[in-house]
Amino acid sequence: MRLKIKNLQDFWCGIFFIALGVLAIHLSRDYEMGNALSMGPGYFPTWLGGIMIGFGVVIGGLSFKMQGDDNQGLGLGEWAFRPWLVLTATLAVFALLMEADFGFVPSLIVLIIGCALAHKDVHWRETILLSIFVTAGAVAIFSYGIELPYRLFWWSQ
């Protein structure tokens, strides 16, 4: 019996999670770790990187099977690259808008609508309603609940 990959997307997703976890641990190695009661700045990224590696091992491991056909390759033909490109660009635009003090509310609405564009069939009514309710929830949690100092709009304090 030979070990074959039965699901290429799960295999590459596992590799991606492992690489992302290793990168997180590598980038946080110079920060003070602390412990669970007194967390340092390196505690969260290190543990999150370890969890990502664990997810990658499980997802990548589940992509294998013990038998398979001989004409299987490691191609990327079934992947949809539009979501990868659109989501990456949308996150970059969100970060730039937040950095430029455009405001938390407009930046988050742009993020949610931009993420909806990653799908071929955008349902605009649902997308607009989702952006309104998620933004309202995020403002309630982050601005009023835990009082993070985000400017809500470019004209506000």
Side-chain angles (χ1 to χ4, degrees):
M1 258 191 221
R2 290 180 19 163
L3 191 63
K4 296 272 186 168
I5 297 173
K6 72 176 178 183
N7 190 334
L8 290 172
Q9 289 180 339
D10 284 352
F11 174 76
W12 288 111
C13 181
I15 297 294
F16 177 72
F17 276 18
I18 291 170
L20 194 63
V22 168
L23 180 67
I25 291 172
H26 175 72
L27 291 176
S28 65
R29 74 186 185 285
D30 293 334
Y31 296 126
E32 181 184 336
M33 185 68 166
N35 56 39
L37 294 176
S38 176
M39 295 180 193
Y43 189 86
F44 182 72
T46 301
W47 274 98
L48 189 61
I51 292 169
M52 292 290 289
I53 291 171
F55 278 140
V57 167
V58 170
I59 292 171
L62 292 175
S63 70
F64 291 100
K65 65 180 176 179
M66 291 305 291
Q67 56 188 354
D69 48 336
D70 291 331
N71 57 3
Q72 182 180 16
L74 290 178
L76 296 174
E78 299 175 6
W79 283 63
F81 286 102
R82 177 181 174 167
W84 283 76
L85 297 173
V86 171
L87 293 175
T88 304
T90 302
L91 286 171
V93 168
F94 174 76
L96 291 172
L97 289 175
M98 287 297 289
E99 187 69 28
D101 281 337
F102 196 69
F104 183 59
V105 171
S107 300
L108 194 56
I109 288 174
V110 167
L111 175 72
I112 295 166
I113 292 173
C115 288
L117 295 174
H119 194 272
K120 290 183 267 186
D121 302 329
V122 178
H123 299 283
W124 287 105
R125 186 176 353 166
E126 289 90 352
T127 301
I128 298 298
L129 286 173
L130 178 72
S131 67
I132 290 169
F133 287 114
V134 168
T135 302
V139 167
I141 291 170
F142 295 115
S143 292
Y144 298 114
I146 58 177
E147 298 178 354
L148 290 178
Y150 291 147
R151 285 179 66 180
L152 295 182
F153 297 95
W154 61 87
W155 65 80
S156 65
Q157 291 291 346

